[in-house]
Every structure is written in structure tokens, then in C-alpha cells.
Amino acid sequence: TGYVKLLAEELRMRGHYTEVLTKDYIQNLCQAAPMHDIGKIAVPDVILQKPGRLTEEEFETIKKHTLDGGRIIDETFGHLGNEEYTKMAYEVATYHHEKWNGKGYPEGLAKEEIPLCARIMAVADVFDAVSEKRCYRDALPLEECFDIICQGRDRDFDPIIADVFLEIKDKVKATHDEINTKTSC
């Protein structure tokens, strides 16, 4: 959520996607961000916590978390009356693994076909995933994490979003430090 908020606000401040990035949109996005991987509750722990490389079959199972997440959000929040939030949470959960070049999943969407909220989430999610320790690997040094975003620019990530993220490295590092201070207590 910290990276998503920082990135969305910075994009708006710099005049990018201002027709979409309203204050309400950013608020909904920040509330939806923690739900992006909710579909992983349908993935067996033996796969989620596997210390080594996933088999092709296991990876296909993991990929289903996007569709499961969208379904869970739709079934859980669809009747609550906040349609804008529900739609955003659904889009973040379902499409955060789509790639700018169309080679992501679950639908192979490309470029602007991918909802803006999911494009922002994708950058934040990848940075978070590689900068934190996981059961299958240690956290990468922050410069390597930024290099991953840079290498994915215009392939995995919306180039505008990736560029802004890379231009605010100091703010991202401060957010990273803040997150790690809170989780280490």
C-alpha cells in the first residue's frame, strides 16, 4: 500500500493520468492494494511455501490466484454497495500480473488494456516481492530491485509508471525503510 500510494500520488502530481487519478481513485486504490493477492488463499501452502523453483504445473496453479482473487472479491464485496471500490479491488486482484507487452496473465492484456490500478500495483508488487525476504530466497539489495523495474520498463511495466517510480528512488527507499521498521518490531 505504501508504494502504491506514493506512486499514484506522484503520478498525479506530475500530471500523468490525471483524468483517472482523482483523490477518490487513489483512496480506493490504497484500500484495494492489500487485496491484490487474496486469491492465494486458494493455493495450497505446499506450493506457496515451496523453498525451491516451482514446476510448470505448480506455476499454473499459482497463476490461478488472480482469477480466484477476482472471484473472491466479487463474491465478498459485490453486494456491499461501493461499486467503484469493488471494481478496483477486482481489477487489482485479477490483473496485477498482466504485462505491458501482453505476455502476462490471466488474459494476456497489453498496454492500456490493463486497468491503470493494476499497472500501478504491478510495479509496487514486483518491487515489494524482490525487496523482501521470501521462503525461497533472501531479499535483494535495493539497487537490484530498482534494476528489475528498469529492465521491465516497456516490457513488463507501463513505461510512464516505471519511469516515475525510478525517479523517486529516495522516496521509495524511505517507504521501504518505514515498512521494514514496522515489521521488525
Side-chain angles (χ1 to χ4, degrees), residues 2-184:
Y3 301 127
V4 165
K5 184 175 196 282
L6 177 65
L7 187 49
E9 289 176 346
E10 193 73 29
L11 284 162
R12 179 188 162 122
M13 186 183 78
R14 292 174 180 226
H16 299 292
Y17 307 115
T18 53
E19 69 283 355
V20 178
L21 289 172
T22 64
K23 288 184 180 186
D24 286 344
Y25 185 96
I26 293 172
Q27 182 180 2
N28 282 332
L29 177 54
C30 291
Q31 290 174 347
M35 308 291 278
H36 76 280
D37 273 342
I38 194 166
K40 285 187 177 179
I41 64 172
V43 177
D45 284 345
V46 69
I47 294 174
L48 285 177
Q49 298 172 359
K50 184 176 178 178
R53 191 163 184 83
L54 297 176
T55 66
E56 192 172 314
E57 183 179 312
E58 290 166 334
F59 185 59
E60 288 303 314
T61 300
I62 277 273
K63 285 168 47 174
K64 292 177 186 169
H65 86 276
T66 56
L67 296 172
D68 288 335
R71 178 185 49 77
I72 290 165
I73 286 168
D74 197 38
E75 291 172 0
T76 307
F77 300 110
H79 66 284
L80 295 179
N82 188 343
E83 292 176 26
E84 287 182 34
Y85 170 74
T86 300
K87 180 178 187 267
M88 183 166 307
Y90 173 87
E91 289 176 346
V92 165
T94 304
Y95 302 120
H96 70 281
H97 284 290
E98 296 288 359
K99 304 289 184 205
W100 188 250
N101 65 6
K103 295 184 178 181
Y105 60 89
E107 295 179 19
L109 301 178
K111 300 187 177 181
E112 286 85 9
E113 293 175 331
I114 307 165
L116 179 60
C117 57
R119 298 191 327 252
I120 293 169
M121 186 76 239
V123 172
D125 184 40
V126 168
F127 186 84
D128 182 61
V130 296
S131 67
E132 300 300 327
K133 183 175 175 23
R134 299 292 192 238
C135 61
Y136 49 89
R137 60 148 184 77
D138 286 331
L140 297 177
L142 288 185
E143 282 309 312
E144 280 186 51
C145 301
F146 286 114
D147 285 345
I148 288 169
I149 301 301
C150 184
Q151 291 166 15
R153 181 198 182 279
D154 208 28
R155 181 190 69 207
D156 300 332
F157 311 117
D158 176 327
I160 293 171
I161 295 172
D163 287 348
V164 169
F165 190 83
L166 294 168
E167 289 167 8
I168 59 169
K169 279 185 182 183
D170 290 342
K171 292 179 181 179
V172 172
K173 287 177 184 178
T175 300
H176 179 269
D177 292 346
E178 184 181 318
I179 291 166
N180 284 310
T181 300
K182 288 179 183 177
T183 57
S184 66

